[in-house]
Amino acid sequence: MMPEPIPSTTLFTQRREIVPDDTDAAGIVYTPRIANFTVETVERWFAERMQADAATTGLQIVFASLSCTFLSPMRAGEILEISIALRRVGRSSLGFELVGHAEADDRLCWMAETVCVCVDPATLCSRPIPAALHGVLHAEAALADRMPFGDRSVTA
């Protein structure tokens, strides 16, 4: 049985410190770590906002796509503030946008888009998102206009 999600009035944001293991010898974050930050944030959003746990609900998501735009290098010791917005609710998929800001100077470091698909845990085949989540998902999607992207233009 799925717990009743509580609608939120603010975007989900998490803070994350860049640790030395996230960086190369020069102390700059390895590019692939951004994918890890994205996946971690979506999974935490899902657990906290949807009150959904695959072990108890039978609901499982898999990542179908991920794209990132890197805007500023990050170093060990910096605190990232990662915000996530649900941009699209499909029959069996959810589309998200995420941004990572360096907390100290509010520098926009990266932007990401990802799509997750709801699957049956036994078969890993796509399945519809449970009807019990539709109301809270659409309420979450309505918060997307609050995403702190700042200037989304990227110049060379």
Side-chain angles (χ1 to χ4, degrees):
M1 181 165 175
M2 191 171 309
E4 185 64 30
I6 301 167
S8 184
T9 58
T10 59
L11 287 174
F12 181 83
T13 300
Q14 83 170 356
R15 294 174 73 234
R16 184 187 201 293
E17 181 176 359
I18 302 296
V19 297
D21 284 350
D22 294 327
T23 65
D24 60 20
I28 296 173
V29 171
Y30 289 113
T31 303
R33 291 296 294 146
I34 303 303
N36 292 30
F37 300 163
T38 299
V39 169
E40 288 170 0
T41 304
V42 171
E43 288 177 344
R44 190 163 174 197
W45 173 91
F46 210 83
E48 291 186 22
R49 287 292 174 90
M50 297 299 106
Q51 302 283 308
D53 173 288
T56 58
T57 64
L59 178 66
Q60 186 169 353
I61 59 166
V62 295
F63 288 79
S65 69
L66 171 64
S67 66
C68 292
T69 301
F70 307 100
L71 302 168
S72 179
M74 296 158 284
R75 295 187 179 275
E78 286 192 281
I79 304 294
L80 281 183
E81 190 170 271
I82 305 168
S83 298
I84 181 172
L86 177 61
R87 291 286 185 185
R88 189 183 66 73
V89 179
R91 184 186 77 75
S92 63
S93 65
L94 301 171
F96 297 94
E97 286 184 292
L98 296 91
V99 295
H101 283 91
E103 186 178 74
D105 58 5
D106 200 32
R107 181 177 79 255
L108 182 58
C109 298
W110 56 272
M111 299 184 300
E113 294 182 3
T114 189
V115 173
C116 299
V117 176
C118 180
V119 297
D120 179 281
T123 65
L124 297 182
C125 292
S126 170
R127 70 178 243 200
I129 295 168
L133 292 179
H134 285 216
V136 74
L137 286 171
H138 288 287
E140 260 313 304
L143 299 173
D145 290 340
R146 299 180 186 183
M147 181 58 113
F149 274 114
D151 182 3
R152 292 187 70 184
S153 61
V154 178
T155 58

